[in-house]
């Protein structure tokens, strides 16, 4: 087992005492038992727990062969999906790849450019992406368990039509890859009718826990990352984070610490990173925790900040604002490349005190300085550190947060695997767009909208 992730809660000592940890330990043990024995809510959605160690050689072989085909025949891979259907893959590609992958020459990149669509309702975004694809060979990976989610469904119709016009039906068929439900749904029926190569999303794995399925692994493999190493890191994480003893399990310590801080009035968690390559990992993390915990009037509100940029903007609020938040700092011990500050004998910029220092050392001092300042300012800080940005440690990090989220949900008293609130806006959206079967709701909503327009003048008079 490689040297792994490190969790440091020493910057909460002024906020949490031994009594707090003693009190939460039995609750954590109970959450562990309910998760592993399947006695907690959402027990039919725990397939992600064993994904890293399941024997899926044939599926992994199919993923690698499809990825190699896409890499050898395509200038671009377009990935269609929303939420968990794209955030995990995007996070991995950003963390493990070159900052400017899509701008590199094909020789340096070694594979296709990769773009994501179907995660918004912007006509400008779609039109400009289609403009970018002109004259390029393209493959398409559409990801949706049901196939009926509006944003990716619209994008797939647009891009499938574009592919068929460019390559013809037969040519497009060989360039379209479908990741969907194993047996049912719009996309499953379409894949079988058209003969698209397809990959199955397990029934017992929800979207935000699906990175280690073909949902994440196919785009990641196309991007050139080693999916075997990712799964190896996750498998070692599974072993390490399986002990029920709070004192020995950093994953459970994180879940417990955030739960205790929440009980003490900390309503917001800010995930902080000092590396721009973590930007979409933070987006994945936000969905994981918001969708898992935010229900029944409960939950910690997850937001993200990118330091040191945000230290020069929201840093003021974090230092001196309302004390209803805590930070979780995500950092890397050592970069794969370091930049050394050159020596300037004239010291015209006043940076002589940095002569010969590497950016890694400077970043470490910035991290330490912010940790001390914010803690002194009344903001508890948790630190999650990985040794290096590698495929192995990406897998371990993902598993760490997935399991911590499940435990956190049970500590909070909610089902961490459903998302009932997401359906509310969808019902209204379908009704207002005229989807069959929603006629009554459409009439009710349109009446409410007309009513709001009528009372607007009265509202203005109250200003």
């Amino acid at each position: 087992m490689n040297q792994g992730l490190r969790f440091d809660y020493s910057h909460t000592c002024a906020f949490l005492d031994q009594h707090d940890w003693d009190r939460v330990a039995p609750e954590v043990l109970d959450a562990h038992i309910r998760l592993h024995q399947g006695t907690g809510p959402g027990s039919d959605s725990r397939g992600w727990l064993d994904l890293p160690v399941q024997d899926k050689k044939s599926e992994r072989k199919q993923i690698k062969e499809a990825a190699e085909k896409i890499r050898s025949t395509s200038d671009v891979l377009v990935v269609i999906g929303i939420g968990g259907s794209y955030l995990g893959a995007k996070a991995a590609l950003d963390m493990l790849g070159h900052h400017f992958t899509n701008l590199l020459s094909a020789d340096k990149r070694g594979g296709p450019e990769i773009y994501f669509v179907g995660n918004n309702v912007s006509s400008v975004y779609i039109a400009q992406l289609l403009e970018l694809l002109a004259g390029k060979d393209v493959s398409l990976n559409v990801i949706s368990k049901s196939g009926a989610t509006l944003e990716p469904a619209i994008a797939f119709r647009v891009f499938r039509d574009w592919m068929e016009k460019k390559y013809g039906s037969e040519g497009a068929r060989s360039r379209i890859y479908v990741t969907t439900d194993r047996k049912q749904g719009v996309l499953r029926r379409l894949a079988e009718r058209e003969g698209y190569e397809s990959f199955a999303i397990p029934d017992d794995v929800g979207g935000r826990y699906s990175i280690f399925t073909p949902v994440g692994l196919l785009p990641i493999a196309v991007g050139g990352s080693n999916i075997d190493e990712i799964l190896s890191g996750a498998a070692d994480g599974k072993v390490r984070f399986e002990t029920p003893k709070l004192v020995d399990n950093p994953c459970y310590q994180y879940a417990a610490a955030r739960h205790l801080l929440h009980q003490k009035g900390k309503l917001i968690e800010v995930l902080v990173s000092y590396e721009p390559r973590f930007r979409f990992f933070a987006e994945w993390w936000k969905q994981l925790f918001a969708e898992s915990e935010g229900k029944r009037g409960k939950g910690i509100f997850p937001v993200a900040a990118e330091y040191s940029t945000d230290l020069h903007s929201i840093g003021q609020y974090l230092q001196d604002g309302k004390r209803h938040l805590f930070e979780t700092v995500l950092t890397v011990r050592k970069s794969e490349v370091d930049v050394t500050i050159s020596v300037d004998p004239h010291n015209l910029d006043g940076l002589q005190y940095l002569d010969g220092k590497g950016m890694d050392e400077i970043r470490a001092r910035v991290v330490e300085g912010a940790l001390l300042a914010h803690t002194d300012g009344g903001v508890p800080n948790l630190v999650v550190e990985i040794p290096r940005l590698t495929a192995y440690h990406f897998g371990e990090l993902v598993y760490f947060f997935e399991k911590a989220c499940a435990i956190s949900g049970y500590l909070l008293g909610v089902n961490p695997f459903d998302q009932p609130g997401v359906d509310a806006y969808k019902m209204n959206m379908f009704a207002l767009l005229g989807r069959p079967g929603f006629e009554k709701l459409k009439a009710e909503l349109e009446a409410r909208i007309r009513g709001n327009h009528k009372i607007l003048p009265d509202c203005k008079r109250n200003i």
Side-chain angles (χ1 to χ4, degrees), residues 328-383:
T328 295
V329 181
L330 183 56
T331 188
V332 182
R333 194 173 309 148
K334 185 174 177 57
S335 300
E336 64 266 39
V337 63
D338 200 5
V339 174
T340 302
I341 308 302
S342 59
V343 175
D344 179 4
H346 303 291
N347 195 32
L348 297 177
D349 52 13
L351 294 178
Q352 196 170 52
Y353 66 99
L354 297 178
D355 285 355
K357 294 185 185 298
M359 289 291 289
D360 262 6
E361 181 184 351
I362 294 171
R363 181 188 62 196
R365 301 293 85 79
V366 174
V367 172
E368 291 167 353
L371 276 169
L372 293 171
H374 290 180
T375 305
D376 289 345
V379 178
N381 268 250
L382 306 169
V383 180

Side-chain angles (χ1 to χ4, degrees), residues 17 63 80 115 117 138 154 159 220 227 278 293 312 378 401:
D17 58 27
I63 290 171
I80 298 175
Y115 299 100
V117 70
V138 178
I154 291 172
F159 281 83
I220 292 170
I227 61 174
F278 279 112
E293 291 190 331
H312 296 259
F401 280 117

Side-chain angles (χ1 to χ4, degrees), residues 41-57:
S43 59
D44 57 349
S45 298
R46 298 175 303 119
W48 57 273
L49 269 172
D50 296 320
L51 281 175
V53 296
Q54 287 179 348
D55 184 11
K56 293 197 171 187
K57 292 180 182 177

Side-chain angles (χ1 to χ4, degrees), residues 217-393:
L217 296 180
L218 178 59
I220 292 170
V222 173
S225 292
N226 189 324
I227 61 174
D228 292 330
E229 279 295 300
I230 289 175
L231 291 169
S232 176
D236 283 352
K238 171 180 163 50
V239 173
R240 186 180 176 200
F241 308 139
E242 208 157 41
T243 175
K245 293 182 179 180
L246 182 58
V247 69
D248 297 325
N249 192 327
C251 174
Y252 290 5
Q253 291 165 10
Y254 170 62
R258 64 193 305 276
H259 181 65
L260 290 169
L261 291 169
H262 184 229
Q263 290 181 325
K264 291 178 181 290
K266 307 302 182 182
L267 307 178
I268 298 171
E269 180 176 11
V270 185
L271 185 71
V272 171
S273 65
Y274 287 79
E275 176 57 67
R277 288 158 73 177
F278 279 112
R279 188 170 298 163
F280 266 87
F281 187 87
E283 293 299 310
W284 169 82
W285 174 88
K286 285 195 301 187
Q287 189 207 6
L288 177 69
F289 280 91
E291 205 168 33
S292 296
E293 291 190 331
K295 52 200 73 166
R296 294 168 52 195
K298 299 181 179 182
I300 300 169
F301 186 67
V303 298
E306 191 174 298
Y307 291 171
S308 57
T309 295
D310 285 334
L311 288 173
H312 296 259
S313 53
I314 65 171
Q316 173 61 42
Y317 186 97
L318 287 162
Q319 188 68 49
D320 287 336
K322 191 173 177 64
R323 303 295 78 178
H324 60 337
L325 53 83
F326 65 96
E327 292 173 279
T328 295
V329 181
L330 183 56
T331 188
V332 182
R333 194 173 309 148
K334 185 174 177 57
S335 300
E336 64 266 39
V337 63
D338 200 5
V339 174
T340 302
I341 308 302
S342 59
V343 175
D344 179 4
H346 303 291
N347 195 32
L348 297 177
D349 52 13
L351 294 178
Q352 196 170 52
Y353 66 99
L354 297 178
D355 285 355
K357 294 185 185 298
M359 289 291 289
D360 262 6
E361 181 184 351
I362 294 171
R363 181 188 62 196
R365 301 293 85 79
V366 174
V367 172
E368 291 167 353
L371 276 169
L372 293 171
H374 290 180
T375 305
D376 289 345
V379 178
N381 268 250
L382 306 169
V383 180
V384 179
E385 182 188 74
I386 57 174
R388 299 179 72 92
L389 259 178
T390 65
Y392 176 92
H393 293 302

Side-chain angles (χ1 to χ4, degrees), residues 14-176:
F15 309 92
L16 303 177
D17 58 27
Q18 188 61 51
H19 172 74
D20 294 316
W21 288 102
D22 291 342
R23 176 171 53 83
V24 80
E27 298 178 47
V28 172
L29 177 59
D30 179 64
H32 167 88
I33 292 170
R34 285 188 289 160
L35 178 63
H36 282 274
Q37 293 186 359
T39 57
S43 59
D44 57 349
S45 298
R46 298 175 303 119
W48 57 273
L49 269 172
D50 296 320
L51 281 175
V53 296
Q54 287 179 348
D55 184 11
K56 293 197 171 187
K57 292 180 182 177
S58 60
E59 181 182 78
R60 209 179 299 184
K61 181 174 183 288
Q62 183 192 3
I63 290 171
K64 291 176 182 178
E65 289 176 349
E68 187 52 42
K69 178 184 174 186
I70 294 169
R71 286 172 63 83
S72 62
T73 63
S74 304
D75 302 310
V76 175
L77 171 67
V78 174
V79 181
I80 298 175
I82 194 169
S85 293
Y86 94 100
L87 285 172
K90 175 64 173 165
L93 292 169
D94 282 7
M95 284 178 65
L96 304 176
H98 194 286
H99 268 296
F100 309 104
T101 295
N102 287 338
L103 300 178
L104 295 174
S105 66
D107 289 343
K108 287 186 176 180
R109 192 171 54 247
E113 303 165 32
I114 301 179
Y115 299 100
F116 293 83
V117 70
N119 48 66
N120 57 58
V121 287
S122 169
S123 57
V124 174
Y125 184 93
I126 288 178
Q128 292 183 350
L129 180 55
L130 287 170
E131 182 182 355
L132 180 69
L133 300 182
K136 297 181 179 181
D137 280 319
V138 178
S139 287
L140 198 65
N141 177 207
V142 56
I143 306 167
S144 176
K145 200 163 192 176
S146 68
T149 305
L150 187 69
E151 297 89 343
I154 291 172
F156 185 45
R157 177 178 284 199
V158 170
F159 281 83
R160 179 162 58 98
D161 180 64
W162 184 88
M163 294 280 284
E164 290 177 349
K165 287 176 179 175
K166 179 178 177 66
Y167 295 107
S169 296
E170 284 296 321
R173 187 172 292 122
S174 67
R175 290 177 170 272
I176 294 176

